[in-house]
Amino acid sequence: MTAYYIHGPIHDARPEAVSVTHTHTPYATPWMANLRPFRMICQEATAFFRSQAIFEGEEVQVMDADTGKHIAAALDEAKVVFLRNHGPVTVGQSVEEAIGWFLLVERIAEVDVKAPEAEPISDHAAFIASTEIGHPSNALAAYEYAIMSHIPDPTVVD
């Protein structure tokens, strides 16, 4: 039921969102405990420049639709919402896009965790980069790379 309580209200609030992704990962889950958005310290982070949100509720076990509605309200029009002490939720206009954004979130979280003293990119430079890096085609490319990297091509015979 927890998945329904998170995903259902987001789909209701964001009818263009064909897919909502959420799971717990090695880097993004611990990053959520920081209760702050990603810093613009790597190129990939600019995909989420002014498109990331934080749900500050302590409901690490989402037990009702009202909490899901609060999560959807926090997400608003962003690509990702960080659930406090829980994990990230991404949305996309396709399954592939939502997964691609999620994969980028995990990569950015890894950079943030491994480089805590990194100097951020300026807002001006992040904004310029975000127009390209934040395009859905970049999420689709991340998804396609993951598929090519982890699933063998069935047409190739060993």
Side-chain angles (χ1 to χ4, degrees):
M1 273 321 258
T2 298
Y4 173 77
Y5 292 142
I6 295 172
H7 296 241
I10 292 173
H11 282 291
D12 290 344
R14 298 275 299 270
E16 86 289 355
V18 171
S19 183
V20 177
T21 60
H22 168 70
T23 193
H24 304 205
T25 59
Y27 291 99
T29 299
W31 181 257
M32 302 304 115
N34 290 317
L35 202 57
R36 64 177 182 256
F38 290 135
R39 298 168 298 141
M40 298 292 113
I41 63 170
C42 63
Q43 184 181 29
E44 294 93 338
T46 66
F48 300 95
F49 181 71
R50 296 194 176 143
S51 192
Q52 51 185 325
I54 297 172
F55 172 67
E56 295 186 21
E58 291 191 64
E59 299 90 336
V60 294
Q61 189 63 20
V62 179
M63 302 298 288
D64 57 58
D66 284 341
T67 302
K69 290 176 184 176
H70 294 300
I71 293 168
L75 174 65
D76 194 29
E77 295 298 315
K79 294 176 187 138
V80 61
V81 61
F82 304 134
L83 306 185
R84 177 182 177 181
N85 303 94
H86 190 123
V89 175
T90 60
V91 297
Q93 292 185 25
S94 68
V95 171
E96 297 84 357
E97 180 185 346
I99 292 171
W101 291 137
F102 197 91
L103 293 169
L104 287 171
V105 163
E106 176 64 4
R107 173 70 182 125
I108 298 160
E110 179 181 6
V111 172
D112 262 301
V113 167
K114 289 182 174 180
E117 302 301 320
E119 282 294 317
I121 299 164
S122 71
D123 282 355
H124 178 73
F127 172 75
I128 291 170
S130 73
T131 60
E132 183 177 334
I133 306 298
H135 191 272
S137 63
N138 200 42
L140 297 174
Y143 171 82
E144 289 169 6
Y145 176 78
I147 293 297
M148 291 185 316
S149 300
H150 299 291
I151 298 176
D153 184 344
T155 63
V156 176
V157 179
D158 286 335

